[in-house]
Every structure is written in structure tokens, then in C-alpha cells.
Amino acid sequence: MRRVTVIALVVAGLGAALVAAPLIVSSRLSDARIAERFGAWTGESVTVSGEPVVRLLPAPAVELKRVVVSNPAGAGGEPYATIPAVKVSLDLLALLAGDVAIRELELVEPTIRLSAFARRGVDAAPGQHGPG
């Protein structure tokens, strides 16, 4: 009898977590945090203009739509990258703790533009602005 009670409590807890997860994982909060982390990796500003798609099963994930990575300061012109979609797999335990931990990030059909700078050479990677 005790074993059945423990199993019932575990199942109820998992069910409650699945019901509460959408409240914990606000799509607005997650896309802002993911864009912030992505921007930190690239060294440039990242904006998301599309509505995010949040999936909890079989594993938590977010798909960000219409993502733009800006050019380095002073470069002007077209953005460094435009990405129709970014698929992000998230860590469930981190989400339940209120944090966003990215497990995998996939860029879907990105367009990347390399710019030549008069004094800096070629900007081959965001955050690395060439010599001088």
C-alpha cells in the first residue's frame, strides 16, 4: 500500500510539473533570455521579432522566429546575420529552477554577411572586429 502511495505522489508531482511548466516557462521570458545568451556568444546585439513556439514534450524546446544579429558598432549597413528560425533545446531541471540552460542551438537557413572595414580588415566573426 505504501508503495502505491509513493508512486501515486510521484505521478501527481510529474503531472503538476507538466501543468505548471507553461506558467514557469513564459515564452516572453525564454525568448528574451535566449536572445541575451545568443548575443553574449556572438558579441553583438540579437533581436527576435517573431512569436516564439514553446514545446515541453518530449523535451523542452523553443523555436525563435525572425532572429537578427546586428553588425558591430560603426559598421552600418545590413545586419551581420538574419535567421528565419533558431531551434533551441533547453534543460528541464534548469527551467524548473527558473533558469534557462541551452543544451543545443540550431540555426535554420541563416544568411550571414561579411563586411570589409576600411581600417579593421574583414569582420569574419561577430565580436572579433579584425586588426587595429
Side-chain angles (χ1 to χ4, degrees), residues 15-130:
L18 287 175
V19 169
L23 301 174
I24 295 169
V25 185
S26 163
S27 61
R28 289 289 175 206
L29 177 65
S30 63
D31 70 342
R33 281 190 176 178
I34 293 167
E36 180 181 299
R37 297 260 169 96
F38 192 28
W41 291 339
T42 64
E44 305 303 341
S45 174
V46 174
T47 56
V48 179
S49 60
E51 193 66 33
V53 177
V54 178
R55 183 189 75 208
L56 297 175
L57 295 173
V62 176
E63 184 171 345
L64 306 176
K65 305 286 187 171
R66 296 190 304 274
V67 177
V68 175
V69 179
S70 68
N71 258 332
E78 295 286 322
Y80 177 79
T82 53
I83 310 162
V86 176
K87 296 180 180 180
V88 183
S89 298
L90 303 169
D91 182 80
L92 178 62
L93 293 177
L95 286 175
L96 293 174
D99 192 18
V100 175
I102 297 172
R103 298 184 79 168
E104 184 176 316
L105 189 133
E106 176 186 348
L107 307 179
V108 179
E109 299 180 10
T111 300
I112 298 173
R113 294 171 189 85
L114 301 178
S115 303
F117 295 102
R119 291 186 44 222
R120 297 192 202 171
V122 175
D123 179 31
Q128 299 176 358
H129 305 297

